Amino acid sequence: MWNLSLPFRLLVVAALVGAVALPADARRRKAPAGPKALRVGMVLDGPLQPEWQRLIKRLQKEVRLVLGNARAVSFPADKTIDGGWKLATIRAGYDRLLADKDVDLIIAVGFIGPIDVARRPKLAKPVFAPLVIDPRVSGLPVGVDDKTSGKKGLSYLVYSSRMVEDVATFKRLCDASVQHVLVDKLMLSWMPKLGKLAAKVGKKLGVKLNLVPVETTAQQALAALPKSAKAVYLLPLPRLPDAERVKLLEGLKARRLPTFSASGRAEVERGALATQQRGVDLLRAARRTALNIERWVRGDKPETFSIHLERRRKLLLNMAVARAIGWHPDWQVLVY
């Protein structure tokens, strides 16, 4: 048996204690922090209609699914601003979130906000708009390739509309040389190109397009429509509540007016006569926006993302409305 001196034995014991203590010290150390949660702010043009509510819920779900465990995501309630359909409030909402250090990116919800964003000379952080009005009408920027926004920090998605094809088809259906176009008054004030486009399309097709500004009630819209109207073309009316939209379509049907929707199938199911749009695929718009956000997280530039969402164009008719207004499709239309 070894005869160790007392100082040496104490040294050995201290070394053993230190060796045992090291793992405990390691456990007490904090693990390296992962990437901070992605904080998303939103600016709404105004109170959301049911379809826009579904779009936003789906978008939030898709962003979380796409980023998975790699990055936590938060949508703070105090970073969601409702513009109340007031231009000054909408603009102030973007001012606030663009300057907010606790917001990493902004989702622009609606048709007016993205136009305000696009007109700004510089964006302090990326802005993603899941659905906008055709840039040929709204004036939103388009890159030289005609496939991207081309504006630094801005990514948006659009189902390109073809007013010229809609108007031509509508003329073929009802043979009206004058079409009255119902358009949201607020949107009209922010889209000066719309009047020029309507004049250009009308001249090309030999149809006069009269723009009729619409507020938020069916009564006002019907009152603004002259008694001489023979055909009504419906542009998107985002401020019109669903109940008022049904009243408007019922009122147009009562006046036995053929109607053509630029929005798509949902409006035909509510009471419009015809459309060529299959409608908006909310899941697709939400998923594409989420994928674009993931690309930005990886380091890609929003101004390089594709802006186009394609959809099939096919004539859809509401035959119950056709019978109610005394309109009958000819044989060529039925065959088509």
Side-chain angles (χ1 to χ4, degrees), residues 69 81 199 226 235 252:
N69 297 325
I81 300 172
L235 288 178
L252 295 171

Side-chain angles (χ1 to χ4, degrees), residues 228-244:
S228 60
K230 301 296 183 184
V232 177
Y233 181 47
L234 299 159
L235 288 178
L237 302 171
R239 291 192 296 159
L240 199 64
D242 277 357
E244 292 297 316

Side-chain angles (χ1 to χ4, degrees), residues 7-263:
F8 186 78
R9 280 180 286 176
L10 291 175
L11 182 62
V12 171
V13 171
L16 291 173
V17 170
V20 173
L22 282 175
D25 290 342
R27 286 195 297 269
R28 284 195 293 270
R29 294 192 196 107
K30 291 183 179 179
K36 67 179 182 179
L38 189 67
R39 299 159 300 183
V40 182
M42 290 191 289
V43 180
L44 322 179
D45 281 356
L48 296 178
Q49 299 291 348
E51 60 268 24
W52 280 93
Q53 292 176 12
R54 291 194 295 271
L55 173 62
I56 295 307
K57 287 182 180 178
R58 191 75 203 208
L59 175 56
Q60 292 174 336
K61 179 179 180 180
E62 291 294 325
V63 170
R64 291 189 173 102
L65 286 173
V66 167
L67 294 180
N69 297 325
R71 189 81 177 264
V73 185
S74 67
F75 296 85
D78 63 334
K79 307 301 182 185
T80 296
I81 300 172
D82 187 338
W85 298 114
K86 297 179 181 178
L87 299 181
T89 307
I90 294 171
R91 186 179 292 114
Y94 285 102
D95 288 341
R96 174 185 150 190
L97 293 188
L98 285 168
D100 192 334
K101 295 181 180 179
D102 291 328
V103 172
D104 298 308
L105 66 91
I106 300 171
I107 294 177
V109 184
F111 298 136
I112 298 171
I115 299 175
D116 173 77
V117 168
R119 291 177 179 177
R120 295 171 183 250
K122 187 177 180 181
L123 298 177
K125 61 193 63 172
V127 178
F128 295 83
L131 211 56
V132 300
I133 294 290
D134 193 311
R136 289 171 292 185
V137 178
S138 62
L140 286 168
V142 179
V144 292
D145 58 1
D146 200 34
K147 297 179 181 179
T148 63
S149 78
K151 181 177 178 63
K152 188 175 181 180
L154 177 63
S155 171
Y156 66 81
L157 296 175
V158 59
Y159 280 105
S160 297
S161 61
R162 298 177 177 86
M163 179 183 280
V164 63
E165 293 182 19
D166 282 353
V167 172
T169 300
F170 198 20
K171 180 184 179 184
R172 171 73 181 78
L173 293 177
C174 64
D175 194 28
S177 59
V178 178
Q179 294 179 19
H180 285 79
V181 183
L182 298 189
V183 55
D184 185 276
K185 185 177 181 179
L186 193 59
M187 291 172 58
L188 183 60
S189 67
W190 269 65
M191 296 189 298
K193 288 188 176 183
L194 180 56
K196 296 178 182 179
L197 178 62
K200 181 179 179 180
V201 169
K203 183 177 180 180
K204 180 178 181 178
L205 300 175
V207 179
K208 185 176 181 181
L209 298 177
N210 293 333
L211 301 182
V212 180
V214 174
E215 294 280 1
T216 58
T217 67
Q219 183 179 7
Q220 177 274 325
L222 292 168
L225 197 63
K227 294 181 179 179
S228 60
K230 301 296 183 184
V232 177
Y233 181 47
L234 299 159
L235 288 178
L237 302 171
R239 291 192 296 159
L240 199 64
D242 277 357
E244 292 297 316
R245 191 181 307 274
V246 172
K247 290 179 183 178
L248 172 61
L249 293 171
E250 286 294 326
L252 295 171
K253 185 172 68 173
R255 289 173 61 170
R256 298 172 69 84
L257 290 172
T259 49
F260 197 100
S261 171
S263 300

Side-chain angles (χ1 to χ4, degrees), residues 1 70 121 137 141 208 296 311:
M1 187 171 181
V137 178
K208 185 176 181 181
W296 169 74
R311 59 183 171 187

